[in-house]
Amino acid sequence: MKTNRRKFIATAATMAAGVAVAKALPLTTMTNKYHIVHHALFWLKNPGSIEDRDKLVAGVKSLGKIAQIKELHVGIVASTEKRDVVDNSWAVSEVMFFASLEDQAAYQSHPIHQQFIKDHSHLWEKVVVYDAIDA
Amino acid sequence: MKTNRRKFIATAATMAAGVAVAKALPLTTMTNKYHIVHHALFWLKNPGSIEDRDKLVAGVKSLGKIAQIKELHVGIVASTEKRDVVDNSWAVSEVMFFASLEDQAAYQSHPIHQQFIKDHSHLWEKVVVYDAIDA
């Protein structure tokens, strides 16, 4: 599980601060307040290459440095039951949470994201993105 | 943002318990420790029907009662920038986090989930599921 560094620091600071902070915290600090889910799935040019998959995983994890990404979950195909509706033809998944559409837009044009695309786009054949907002 | 009731209760209990609990909590309680992401996207039989979409949204939210679902994010299409890679042809999205593959399997066969399918499957034309495990 990739959790970005800012969140870790925020968590550590909260723990250190003890009871005063714990009592003052609004409930939402421990529930999810990030209303935009951005899910990108990558299909590799070399679908069987674990090396390419792992390079792309490392690249996606590097995106965690972008401040607008509140949560980042980098995944590979899970071995769940094979069913008609389950698409397991992809190789790498990134699920990101953003606080707003503006933050998602800022992420798209962020230099770290642009650099990621430059350095890794040769690895993928196809990308599919789903952007959802809380219903 | 849908956060299931158990999580709310757990959070409230944690807040009430104060410093002793706060200091004893491992850091992971505030980071994401649920390693399985289950993402289902639904395309409606009547794509333009807000009524059908909202019925399906309500149905998906009712799944939050299932104990194995640690987080549930129910969404509709976000108005992000139109790009070739962005698929915005779907209507309803459910992003769920599970602690294990076993929990995901238990969710599939759970009576509440089975009832949801019985009551709502007439609304959708197509479902696509992506199951990811932390890389």
Side-chain angles (χ1 to χ4, degrees), chain A residues 3-5 11 13-15 20 70 97 101 116 121-122 127 133:
Chain A
T3 303
N4 69 49
R5 192 163 161 268
T11 303
T14 302
M15 305 316 276
K70 302 305 184 194
F97 287 87
L101 291 173
F116 160 80
S121 61
H122 67 283
V127 182
I133 187 165

Side-chain angles (χ1 to χ4, degrees), chain B residues 2-66:
Chain B
K2 170 67 176 63
T3 303
N4 69 48
R5 192 164 160 268
R6 284 173 312 288
K7 188 167 182 186
F8 177 81
I9 291 168
T11 303
T14 302
M15 305 316 278
V19 67
V21 168
K23 281 189 174 169
L25 281 174
L27 287 174
T28 48
T29 53
M30 277 190 266
T31 59
N32 199 310
K33 60 183 183 296
Y34 310 120
H35 302 306
I36 309 297
V37 184
H38 169 84
H39 192 186
L41 294 129
F42 299 88
W43 281 256
L44 294 177
K45 275 191 185 141
N46 303 314
S49 171
I50 300 296
E51 189 184 341
D52 283 7
R53 185 195 72 182
D54 291 349
K55 273 185 198 165
L56 185 51
V57 163
V60 173
K61 287 186 176 181
S62 76
L63 297 173
K65 293 191 287 284
I66 298 174

